[in-house]
Amino acid sequence: AQSVTQLGSHVSVSEGALVLLRCNYSSSVPPYLFWYVQYPNQGLQLLLKYTTGATLVKGINGFEAEFKKSETSFHLTKPSAHMSDAAEYFCAVSLAISNFGNEKLTFGTGTRLTIIP
Amino acid sequence: DTEVTQTPKHLVMGMTNKKSLKCEQHMGHRAMYWYKQKAKKPPELMFVYSYEKLSINESVPSRFSPECPNSSLLNLHLHALQPEDSALYLCASSRLGGPGANVLTFGAGSRLTVL
């Protein structure tokens, strides 16, 4: 079975500062990893994904994440925080490509990012 | 068109009511999902339809009844719900197979309140 652990349910950073949201995964096989963002009263939006290939993944809104197998981590970073980045961020994992709709996406518990003006 | 549209956005119902949540997508995705999200919690998978057939049911109580009339539509029929069923219900869709698989596109959700 797969799982993800997000360290820190709340993270606050100053506007313009580095954003670092932590995610560690547990998987018996090479995982597929995702970061989703949820703004208040909205659904989830994909920020970026890692499936295979390059371990540094770039996403939307200036975010990126690096897959580190040795550390079982997939931390999300952004060099300079913007007020519009305030939201809930979810790390997620699945074990295989879903060809038949029978591969589950398991979400972490989420990290609420607050930006301090 | 890269959207998943959910209606209604808000629904208040009594425990004896029957209501339905609707979801529509026109991206050609052949997998559709229902998730339940309680406040300050991650989404929890309820059902998955692939090629219009139910492929995953996460032991959801029978008072929730999903339906997939065609590849673009997904319904969730609600009957005899409990107050603890109050939550944000999220619909999502994805491709099956290929590089876009496992990438879910979510709707904005239907916020359900059961009185």
Side-chain angles (χ1 to χ4, degrees):
Chain A
Q2 74 273 26
S3 66
V4 288
T5 301
Q6 292 184 241
L7 300 176
S9 58
H10 291 87
V11 171
S12 295
V13 301
S14 298
E15 190 175 15
L18 171 72
V19 175
L20 171 60
L21 304 183
R22 300 178 186 273
C23 174
N24 288 89
Y25 69 89
S26 172
S27 173
S28 57
V29 299
Y32 297 88
L33 294 161
F34 308 81
W35 276 99
Y36 283 85
V37 61
Q38 185 175 31
Y39 298 100
N41 300 312
Q42 294 189 26
L44 281 71
Q45 180 184 11
L46 180 72
L47 277 177
L48 49 78
K49 64 177 180 177
Y50 169 78
T51 53
T52 59
T55 55
L56 181 62
V57 180
K58 295 186 184 300
I60 62 172
N61 302 337
F63 284 94
E64 62 181 35
E66 186 171 10
F67 173 66
K68 292 187 176 181
K69 184 178 179 180
S70 61
E71 299 177 7
T72 62
S73 69
F74 190 58
H75 301 332
L76 182 70
T77 61
K78 182 174 180 178
S80 177
H82 191 273
M83 295 300 294
S84 61
D85 295 326
E88 188 85 19
Y89 291 80
F90 292 98
C91 183
V93 62
S94 65
L95 291 185
I97 288 292
S98 181
N99 291 313
F100 303 105
N102 54 355
E103 295 298 336
K104 292 173 54 175
L105 191 66
T106 301
F107 288 92
T109 51
T111 298
R112 180 165 299 276
L113 177 64
T114 299
I115 310 299
I116 304 166
Chain B
D1 188 355
T2 56
E3 284 189 348
V4 174
T5 303
Q6 291 188 241
T7 55
K9 293 190 184 304
H10 299 276
L11 177 63
V12 179
M13 61 186 291
M15 289 189 286
T16 58
N17 292 158
K18 286 186 180 181
K19 298 286 185 183
S20 296
L21 305 181
K22 298 183 183 301
C23 176
E24 187 169 7
Q25 58 89 13
H26 295 288
M27 294 176 282
H29 290 172
R30 300 306 298 275
M32 297 188 76
Y33 309 75
W34 280 116
Y35 281 84
K36 174 182 178 179
Q37 187 178 26
K38 302 283 279 185
K40 303 186 187 303
K41 298 291 186 182
E44 297 176 359
L45 182 64
M46 301 175 71
F47 304 103
V48 182
Y49 273 83
S50 54
Y51 301 107
E52 296 86 69
K53 296 191 188 315
L54 186 65
S55 55
I56 295 179
N57 177 342
E58 288 289 282
S59 302
V60 178
S62 59
R63 58 186 184 268
F64 295 92
S65 176
E67 178 195 22
C68 190
N70 59 54
S71 61
S72 299
L73 295 175
L74 184 67
N75 298 321
L76 186 63
H77 302 298
L78 314 171
H79 174 54
L81 295 193
Q82 303 296 312
E84 59 265 28
D85 296 322
S86 298
L88 181 67
Y89 288 84
L90 294 164
C91 175
S93 69
S94 73
R95 295 180 60 179
L96 286 173
N102 298 61
V103 177
L104 273 60
T105 300
F106 284 85
S110 293
R111 186 163 299 282
L112 173 67
T113 302
V114 182
L115 301 177

Short mmCIF file of all heavy atoms in Angstrom, two decimals, chain A residues 26-84:
data_model
loop_
_atom_site.label_atom_id
_atom_site.label_comp_id
_atom_site.label_asym_id
_atom_site.label_seq_id
_atom_site.Cartn_x
_atom_site.Cartn_y
_atom_site.Cartn_z
N SER A 26 5.62 6.64 1.00
CA SER A 26 5.94 5.25 1.30
C SER A 26 5.31 4.42 0.20
O SER A 26 4.11 4.50 -0.04
CB SER A 26 5.36 4.85 2.66
OG SER A 26 5.51 3.46 2.87
N SER A 27 6.16 3.64 -0.47
CA SER A 27 5.66 2.85 -1.58
C SER A 27 6.59 1.67 -1.81
O SER A 27 7.81 1.81 -1.74
CB SER A 27 5.58 3.70 -2.85
OG SER A 27 5.26 2.91 -3.97
N SER A 28 6.01 0.54 -2.15
CA SER A 28 6.79 -0.66 -2.39
C SER A 28 7.32 -0.72 -3.81
O SER A 28 8.20 -1.51 -4.12
CB SER A 28 5.95 -1.90 -2.10
OG SER A 28 4.78 -1.87 -2.89
N VAL A 29 6.80 0.12 -4.67
CA VAL A 29 7.24 0.20 -6.06
C VAL A 29 7.45 1.66 -6.41
O VAL A 29 6.99 2.54 -5.68
CB VAL A 29 6.21 -0.44 -7.01
CG1 VAL A 29 6.01 -1.91 -6.69
CG2 VAL A 29 4.89 0.31 -6.94
N PRO A 30 8.16 1.93 -7.51
CA PRO A 30 8.35 3.35 -7.88
C PRO A 30 7.00 4.04 -8.01
O PRO A 30 6.13 3.59 -8.75
CB PRO A 30 9.07 3.24 -9.23
CG PRO A 30 9.80 1.96 -9.16
CD PRO A 30 8.93 1.03 -8.38
N PRO A 31 6.84 5.15 -7.30
CA PRO A 31 5.53 5.80 -7.26
C PRO A 31 5.37 6.86 -8.33
O PRO A 31 6.33 7.32 -8.94
CB PRO A 31 5.54 6.44 -5.88
CG PRO A 31 6.97 6.87 -5.71
CD PRO A 31 7.80 5.80 -6.39
N TYR A 32 4.12 7.24 -8.53
CA TYR A 32 3.79 8.44 -9.28
C TYR A 32 3.34 9.47 -8.24
O TYR A 32 2.49 9.19 -7.41
CB TYR A 32 2.67 8.16 -10.28
CG TYR A 32 3.07 7.15 -11.33
CD1 TYR A 32 2.90 5.78 -11.11
CD2 TYR A 32 3.64 7.55 -12.53
CE1 TYR A 32 3.28 4.86 -12.06
CE2 TYR A 32 4.03 6.63 -13.49
CZ TYR A 32 3.85 5.28 -13.24
OH TYR A 32 4.23 4.36 -14.18
N LEU A 33 3.92 10.65 -8.29
CA LEU A 33 3.71 11.66 -7.25
C LEU A 33 3.14 12.94 -7.82
O LEU A 33 3.49 13.34 -8.94
CB LEU A 33 5.03 11.94 -6.52
CG LEU A 33 5.59 10.76 -5.72
CD1 LEU A 33 7.06 10.96 -5.42
CD2 LEU A 33 4.79 10.57 -4.44
N PHE A 34 2.30 13.58 -7.04
CA PHE A 34 1.58 14.77 -7.50
C PHE A 34 1.50 15.80 -6.37
O PHE A 34 1.49 15.45 -5.19
CB PHE A 34 0.14 14.40 -7.90
CG PHE A 34 0.04 13.26 -8.87
CD1 PHE A 34 0.12 11.95 -8.44
CD2 PHE A 34 -0.14 13.50 -10.22
CE1 PHE A 34 0.02 10.89 -9.33
CE2 PHE A 34 -0.24 12.45 -11.13
CZ PHE A 34 -0.16 11.15 -10.68
N TRP A 35 1.43 17.05 -6.76
CA TRP A 35 1.04 18.13 -5.86
C TRP A 35 -0.18 18.82 -6.45
O TRP A 35 -0.19 19.21 -7.62
CB TRP A 35 2.16 19.17 -5.69
CG TRP A 35 3.19 18.81 -4.67
CD1 TRP A 35 4.42 18.26 -4.88
CD2 TRP A 35 3.08 19.00 -3.25
NE1 TRP A 35 5.08 18.08 -3.69
CE2 TRP A 35 4.29 18.54 -2.67
CE3 TRP A 35 2.09 19.53 -2.40
CZ2 TRP A 35 4.53 18.58 -1.30
CZ3 TRP A 35 2.33 19.57 -1.05
CH2 TRP A 35 3.53 19.11 -0.50
N TYR A 36 -1.20 18.95 -5.59
CA TYR A 36 -2.42 19.68 -5.95
C TYR A 36 -2.57 20.88 -5.01
O TYR A 36 -2.18 20.82 -3.85
CB TYR A 36 -3.65 18.78 -5.82
CG TYR A 36 -3.84 17.79 -6.93
CD1 TYR A 36 -3.20 16.56 -6.93
CD2 TYR A 36 -4.68 18.08 -8.01
CE1 TYR A 36 -3.39 15.64 -7.95
CE2 TYR A 36 -4.89 17.18 -9.03
CZ TYR A 36 -4.24 15.96 -9.00
OH TYR A 36 -4.43 15.07 -10.02
N VAL A 37 -3.20 21.93 -5.53
CA VAL A 37 -3.50 23.10 -4.71
C VAL A 37 -5.01 23.30 -4.67
O VAL A 37 -5.70 23.03 -5.65
CB VAL A 37 -2.80 24.37 -5.27
CG1 VAL A 37 -3.26 24.70 -6.68
CG2 VAL A 37 -3.04 25.56 -4.35
N GLN A 38 -5.50 23.72 -3.50
CA GLN A 38 -6.93 23.99 -3.35
C GLN A 38 -7.11 25.37 -2.75
O GLN A 38 -6.70 25.62 -1.60
CB GLN A 38 -7.61 22.93 -2.48
CG GLN A 38 -9.11 23.09 -2.39
CD GLN A 38 -9.79 21.98 -1.62
OE1 GLN A 38 -9.20 21.40 -0.70
NE2 GLN A 38 -11.02 21.64 -1.99
N TYR A 39 -7.72 26.26 -3.51
CA TYR A 39 -8.07 27.58 -3.01
C TYR A 39 -9.41 27.50 -2.30
O TYR A 39 -10.20 26.59 -2.56
CB TYR A 39 -8.08 28.60 -4.16
CG TYR A 39 -6.74 28.74 -4.83
CD1 TYR A 39 -6.45 28.11 -6.03
CD2 TYR A 39 -5.72 29.49 -4.23
CE1 TYR A 39 -5.21 28.22 -6.63
CE2 TYR A 39 -4.48 29.60 -4.82
CZ TYR A 39 -4.24 28.95 -6.02
OH TYR A 39 -3.01 29.05 -6.60
N PRO A 40 -9.70 28.42 -1.41
CA PRO A 40 -10.94 28.36 -0.64
C PRO A 40 -12.17 28.18 -1.52
O PRO A 40 -12.33 28.86 -2.53
CB PRO A 40 -10.95 29.70 0.10
CG PRO A 40 -9.51 30.06 0.25
CD PRO A 40 -8.86 29.57 -1.02
N ASN A 41 -13.02 27.24 -1.09
CA ASN A 41 -14.29 26.98 -1.77
C ASN A 41 -14.13 26.58 -3.23
O ASN A 41 -15.01 26.85 -4.06
CB ASN A 41 -15.21 28.21 -1.67
CG ASN A 41 -15.51 28.57 -0.23
OD1 ASN A 41 -15.86 27.70 0.57
ND2 ASN A 41 -15.34 29.83 0.11
N GLN A 42 -13.02 25.95 -3.54
CA GLN A 42 -12.80 25.48 -4.90
C GLN A 42 -12.35 24.02 -4.88
O GLN A 42 -12.04 23.46 -3.83
CB GLN A 42 -11.75 26.34 -5.60
CG GLN A 42 -12.18 27.78 -5.84
CD GLN A 42 -11.19 28.52 -6.72
OE1 GLN A 42 -10.48 27.93 -7.53
NE2 GLN A 42 -11.16 29.84 -6.58
N GLY A 43 -12.33 23.43 -6.07
CA GLY A 43 -11.79 22.09 -6.20
C GLY A 43 -10.28 22.11 -6.22
O GLY A 43 -9.65 23.15 -5.99
N LEU A 44 -9.69 20.96 -6.47
CA LEU A 44 -8.23 20.85 -6.50
C LEU A 44 -7.71 21.06 -7.91
O LEU A 44 -8.32 20.65 -8.88
CB LEU A 44 -7.79 19.47 -6.00
CG LEU A 44 -7.79 19.24 -4.51
CD1 LEU A 44 -9.18 19.15 -3.95
CD2 LEU A 44 -6.99 17.98 -4.15
N GLN A 45 -6.53 21.68 -7.98
CA GLN A 45 -5.89 21.95 -9.27
C GLN A 45 -4.49 21.35 -9.25
O GLN A 45 -3.75 21.52 -8.28
CB GLN A 45 -5.81 23.46 -9.50
CG GLN A 45 -5.15 23.87 -10.80
CD GLN A 45 -5.02 25.37 -10.95
OE1 GLN A 45 -5.22 26.14 -10.01
NE2 GLN A 45 -4.67 25.81 -12.13
N LEU A 46 -4.13 20.65 -10.31
CA LEU A 46 -2.80 20.05 -10.39
C LEU A 46 -1.73 21.11 -10.52
O LEU A 46 -1.80 21.97 -11.40
CB LEU A 46 -2.72 19.09 -11.58
CG LEU A 46 -1.39 18.39 -11.77
CD1 LEU A 46 -1.18 17.34 -10.68
CD2 LEU A 46 -1.29 17.75 -13.15
N LEU A 47 -0.73 21.06 -9.63
CA LEU A 47 0.44 21.93 -9.73
C LEU A 47 1.53 21.30 -10.58
O LEU A 47 2.11 21.94 -11.46
CB LEU A 47 1.02 22.21 -8.34
CG LEU A 47 0.40 23.31 -7.49
CD1 LEU A 47 1.11 23.34 -6.14
CD2 LEU A 47 0.50 24.65 -8.18
N LEU A 48 1.83 20.04 -10.29
CA LEU A 48 2.88 19.33 -11.01
C LEU A 48 2.78 17.84 -10.70
O LEU A 48 2.08 17.44 -9.77
CB LEU A 48 4.26 19.87 -10.65
CG LEU A 48 4.63 20.06 -9.18
CD1 LEU A 48 5.01 18.75 -8.51
CD2 LEU A 48 5.76 21.06 -9.02
N LYS A 49 3.53 17.05 -11.50
CA LYS A 49 3.51 15.61 -11.31
C LYS A 49 4.87 15.03 -11.64
O LYS A 49 5.63 15.57 -12.46
CB LYS A 49 2.45 14.96 -12.20
CG LYS A 49 2.74 15.14 -13.69
CD LYS A 49 1.72 14.42 -14.55
CE LYS A 49 2.07 14.62 -16.04
NZ LYS A 49 1.16 13.89 -16.94
N TYR A 50 5.18 13.93 -11.00
CA TYR A 50 6.35 13.13 -11.34
C TYR A 50 5.87 11.73 -11.70
O TYR A 50 5.20 11.07 -10.91
CB TYR A 50 7.34 13.06 -10.18
CG TYR A 50 8.41 12.03 -10.43
CD1 TYR A 50 9.48 12.30 -11.29
CD2 TYR A 50 8.33 10.76 -9.87
CE1 TYR A 50 10.44 11.34 -11.56
CE2 TYR A 50 9.29 9.80 -10.13
CZ TYR A 50 10.34 10.09 -10.98
OH TYR A 50 11.28 9.13 -11.25
N THR A 51 6.24 11.29 -12.90
CA THR A 51 5.93 9.90 -13.27
C THR A 51 7.23 9.15 -13.52
O THR A 51 7.59 8.25 -12.77
CB THR A 51 5.01 9.86 -14.50
OG1 THR A 51 5.60 10.63 -15.56
CG2 THR A 51 3.64 10.43 -14.18
N THR A 52 7.95 9.49 -14.55
CA THR A 52 9.26 8.91 -14.80
C THR A 52 10.15 10.00 -15.39
O THR A 52 9.68 11.08 -15.72
CB THR A 52 9.18 7.73 -15.79
OG1 THR A 52 8.63 8.21 -17.01
CG2 THR A 52 8.33 6.60 -15.25
N GLY A 53 11.45 9.69 -15.52
CA GLY A 53 12.33 10.65 -16.17
C GLY A 53 12.94 11.63 -15.21
O GLY A 53 13.32 11.29 -14.09
N ALA A 54 13.04 12.87 -15.63
CA ALA A 54 13.72 13.92 -14.87
C ALA A 54 13.12 14.04 -13.47
O ALA A 54 11.90 14.10 -13.31
CB ALA A 54 13.62 15.26 -15.59
N THR A 55 14.01 14.09 -12.48
CA THR A 55 13.54 14.09 -11.10
C THR A 55 13.17 15.49 -10.62
O THR A 55 12.48 15.63 -9.61
CB THR A 55 14.62 13.53 -10.17
OG1 THR A 55 15.84 14.27 -10.35
CG2 THR A 55 14.88 12.06 -10.48
N LEU A 56 13.61 16.53 -11.30
CA LEU A 56 13.20 17.89 -10.97
C LEU A 56 12.05 18.25 -11.89
O LEU A 56 12.21 18.31 -13.11
CB LEU A 56 14.37 18.86 -11.14
CG LEU A 56 14.05 20.32 -10.78
CD1 LEU A 56 13.66 20.44 -9.31
CD2 LEU A 56 15.26 21.22 -11.09
N VAL A 57 10.92 18.50 -11.29
CA VAL A 57 9.71 18.73 -12.06
C VAL A 57 9.25 20.18 -11.86
O VAL A 57 9.16 20.65 -10.73
CB VAL A 57 8.59 17.77 -11.60
CG1 VAL A 57 7.33 18.02 -12.40
CG2 VAL A 57 9.03 16.34 -11.73
N LYS A 58 8.98 20.83 -12.96
CA LYS A 58 8.48 22.20 -12.89
C LYS A 58 6.98 22.22 -13.13
O LYS A 58 6.47 21.48 -13.99
CB LYS A 58 9.19 23.08 -13.90
CG LYS A 58 10.68 23.25 -13.60
CD LYS A 58 11.33 24.24 -14.54
CE LYS A 58 12.83 24.32 -14.30
NZ LYS A 58 13.15 24.75 -12.92
N GLY A 59 6.28 23.05 -12.36
CA GLY A 59 4.84 23.12 -12.49
C GLY A 59 4.36 24.52 -12.79
O GLY A 59 5.13 25.38 -13.23
N ILE A 60 3.09 24.73 -12.52
CA ILE A 60 2.51 26.04 -12.78
C ILE A 60 2.81 27.00 -11.64
O ILE A 60 3.19 26.58 -10.54
CB ILE A 60 0.98 25.93 -13.00
CG1 ILE A 60 0.29 25.40 -11.73
CG2 ILE A 60 0.67 25.05 -14.18
CD1 ILE A 60 -1.21 25.45 -11.78
N ASN A 61 2.63 28.29 -11.92
CA ASN A 61 2.77 29.34 -10.90
C ASN A 61 4.15 29.39 -10.25
O ASN A 61 4.29 29.86 -9.11
CB ASN A 61 1.69 29.20 -9.81
CG ASN A 61 0.29 29.24 -10.37
OD1 ASN A 61 0.06 29.77 -11.45
ND2 ASN A 61 -0.65 28.66 -9.66
N GLY A 62 5.18 28.93 -10.93
CA GLY A 62 6.54 29.01 -10.43
C GLY A 62 6.95 27.94 -9.44
O GLY A 62 8.04 27.99 -8.86
N PHE A 63 6.10 26.97 -9.21
CA PHE A 63 6.43 25.88 -8.28
C PHE A 63 7.24 24.79 -8.97
O PHE A 63 7.11 24.57 -10.17
CB PHE A 63 5.14 25.27 -7.71
CG PHE A 63 4.48 26.11 -6.67
CD1 PHE A 63 3.46 27.00 -7.01
CD2 PHE A 63 4.86 26.02 -5.34
CE1 PHE A 63 2.85 27.79 -6.05
CE2 PHE A 63 4.26 26.80 -4.37
CZ PHE A 63 3.24 27.68 -4.73
N GLU A 64 8.07 24.12 -8.18
CA GLU A 64 8.77 22.95 -8.65
C GLU A 64 8.95 21.98 -7.49
O GLU A 64 8.80 22.34 -6.32
CB GLU A 64 10.12 23.31 -9.27
CG GLU A 64 11.11 23.96 -8.34
CD GLU A 64 12.41 24.30 -9.08
OE1 GLU A 64 12.35 24.66 -10.27
OE2 GLU A 64 13.48 24.21 -8.45
N ALA A 65 9.24 20.73 -7.84
CA ALA A 65 9.45 19.69 -6.83
C ALA A 65 10.52 18.74 -7.33
O ALA A 65 10.66 18.54 -8.55
CB ALA A 65 8.15 18.95 -6.56
N GLU A 66 11.24 18.15 -6.41
CA GLU A 66 12.29 17.21 -6.77
C GLU A 66 12.02 15.86 -6.14
O GLU A 66 11.82 15.74 -4.93
CB GLU A 66 13.66 17.72 -6.33
CG GLU A 66 14.80 16.83 -6.83
CD GLU A 66 16.16 17.43 -6.58
OE1 GLU A 66 16.26 18.45 -5.85
OE2 GLU A 66 17.15 16.88 -7.12
N PHE A 67 12.00 14.84 -6.98
CA PHE A 67 11.84 13.46 -6.52
C PHE A 67 13.19 12.94 -6.06
O PHE A 67 14.14 12.88 -6.85
CB PHE A 67 11.29 12.59 -7.65
CG PHE A 67 11.25 11.12 -7.33
CD1 PHE A 67 10.41 10.64 -6.35
CD2 PHE A 67 12.05 10.23 -8.04
CE1 PHE A 67 10.37 9.28 -6.06
CE2 PHE A 67 12.01 8.87 -7.75
CZ PHE A 67 11.17 8.40 -6.76
N LYS A 68 13.27 12.59 -4.78
CA LYS A 68 14.51 12.04 -4.23
C LYS A 68 14.21 10.65 -3.69
O LYS A 68 13.68 10.50 -2.58
CB LYS A 68 15.07 12.95 -3.13
CG LYS A 68 15.58 14.28 -3.65
CD LYS A 68 16.27 15.07 -2.55
CE LYS A 68 16.87 16.36 -3.08
NZ LYS A 68 17.58 17.13 -2.04
N LYS A 69 14.61 9.65 -4.47
CA LYS A 69 14.31 8.27 -4.09
C LYS A 69 15.01 7.89 -2.79
O LYS A 69 14.44 7.22 -1.93
CB LYS A 69 14.72 7.33 -5.21
CG LYS A 69 14.36 5.89 -4.98
CD LYS A 69 14.77 5.03 -6.17
CE LYS A 69 14.44 3.56 -5.92
NZ LYS A 69 14.85 2.73 -7.09
N SER A 70 16.26 8.33 -2.63
CA SER A 70 17.03 7.94 -1.44
C SER A 70 16.41 8.50 -0.16
O SER A 70 16.57 7.92 0.92
CB SER A 70 18.47 8.43 -1.57
OG SER A 70 18.50 9.84 -1.68
N GLU A 71 15.70 9.61 -0.28
CA GLU A 71 15.07 10.23 0.88
C GLU A 71 13.56 9.99 0.90
O GLU A 71 12.88 10.49 1.81
CB GLU A 71 15.36 11.74 0.88
CG GLU A 71 16.83 12.08 0.96
CD GLU A 71 17.10 13.57 0.89
OE1 GLU A 71 16.13 14.36 0.92
OE2 GLU A 71 18.29 13.95 0.78
N THR A 72 13.05 9.30 -0.06
CA THR A 72 11.60 9.07 -0.26
C THR A 72 10.84 10.38 -0.08
O THR A 72 9.85 10.46 0.65
CB THR A 72 11.04 7.98 0.68
OG1 THR A 72 11.22 8.39 2.04
CG2 THR A 72 11.72 6.66 0.45
N SER A 73 11.33 11.42 -0.75
CA SER A 73 10.72 12.73 -0.59
C SER A 73 10.31 13.33 -1.93
O SER A 73 10.85 12.96 -2.99
CB SER A 73 11.68 13.68 0.13
OG SER A 73 12.79 14.00 -0.70
N PHE A 74 9.40 14.27 -1.86
CA PHE A 74 8.92 15.00 -3.05
C PHE A 74 8.48 16.37 -2.56
O PHE A 74 7.30 16.73 -2.60
CB PHE A 74 7.78 14.23 -3.71
CG PHE A 74 7.39 14.76 -5.07
CD1 PHE A 74 8.31 14.84 -6.11
CD2 PHE A 74 6.07 15.14 -5.33
CE1 PHE A 74 7.93 15.30 -7.36
CE2 PHE A 74 5.68 15.61 -6.59
CZ PHE A 74 6.62 15.68 -7.60
N HIS A 75 9.43 17.14 -2.08
CA HIS A 75 9.13 18.45 -1.49
C HIS A 75 8.82 19.49 -2.56
O HIS A 75 9.45 19.51 -3.62
CB HIS A 75 10.31 18.94 -0.65
CG HIS A 75 10.68 18.01 0.47
ND1 HIS A 75 9.76 17.18 1.09
CD2 HIS A 75 11.87 17.79 1.08
CE1 HIS A 75 10.38 16.49 2.04
NE2 HIS A 75 11.64 16.83 2.05
N LEU A 76 7.90 20.36 -2.25
CA LEU A 76 7.45 21.42 -3.17
C LEU A 76 8.13 22.73 -2.79
O LEU A 76 8.15 23.09 -1.60
CB LEU A 76 5.94 21.57 -3.07
CG LEU A 76 5.28 22.61 -3.99
CD1 LEU A 76 5.33 22.13 -5.44
CD2 LEU A 76 3.84 22.87 -3.56
N THR A 77 8.67 23.44 -3.76
CA THR A 77 9.34 24.71 -3.49
C THR A 77 8.91 25.78 -4.48
O THR A 77 8.47 25.49 -5.60
CB THR A 77 10.87 24.57 -3.55
OG1 THR A 77 11.25 24.15 -4.86
CG2 THR A 77 11.38 23.58 -2.52
N LYS A 78 9.07 27.02 -4.02
CA LYS A 78 8.90 28.19 -4.89
C LYS A 78 9.85 29.26 -4.37
O LYS A 78 9.87 29.53 -3.16
CB LYS A 78 7.46 28.70 -4.86
CG LYS A 78 7.23 29.89 -5.79
CD LYS A 78 5.77 30.29 -5.86
CE LYS A 78 5.58 31.49 -6.79
NZ LYS A 78 4.14 31.88 -6.92
N PRO A 79 10.67 29.82 -5.22
CA PRO A 79 11.72 30.73 -4.74
C PRO A 79 11.19 31.97 -4.02
O PRO A 79 11.78 32.43 -3.04
CB PRO A 79 12.47 31.13 -6.02
CG PRO A 79 12.13 30.08 -7.01
CD PRO A 79 10.76 29.61 -6.67
N SER A 80 10.05 32.49 -4.48
CA SER A 80 9.57 33.76 -3.95
C SER A 80 8.05 33.70 -3.80
O SER A 80 7.33 33.63 -4.79
CB SER A 80 9.97 34.91 -4.88
OG SER A 80 9.46 36.14 -4.42
N ALA A 81 7.59 33.74 -2.56
CA ALA A 81 6.15 33.60 -2.31
C ALA A 81 5.40 34.86 -2.72
O ALA A 81 5.88 35.98 -2.56
CB ALA A 81 5.92 33.32 -0.83
N HIS A 82 4.19 34.61 -3.21
CA HIS A 82 3.29 35.70 -3.58
C HIS A 82 2.02 35.54 -2.77
O HIS A 82 1.64 34.42 -2.39
CB HIS A 82 2.99 35.62 -5.08
CG HIS A 82 2.30 36.82 -5.63
ND1 HIS A 82 0.93 36.95 -5.62
CD2 HIS A 82 2.79 37.95 -6.18
CE1 HIS A 82 0.60 38.11 -6.15
NE2 HIS A 82 1.71 38.73 -6.50
N MET A 83 1.35 36.65 -2.53
CA MET A 83 0.13 36.61 -1.72
C MET A 83 -0.89 35.62 -2.31
O MET A 83 -1.61 34.94 -1.56
CB MET A 83 -0.51 37.99 -1.62
CG MET A 83 0.32 39.03 -0.87
SD MET A 83 0.65 38.53 0.84
CE MET A 83 -1.00 38.57 1.54
N SER A 84 -0.91 35.51 -3.62
CA SER A 84 -1.88 34.62 -4.27
C SER A 84 -1.57 33.14 -4.06
O SER A 84 -2.37 32.28 -4.44
CB SER A 84 -1.94 34.92 -5.77
OG SER A 84 -0.67 34.69 -6.36
#
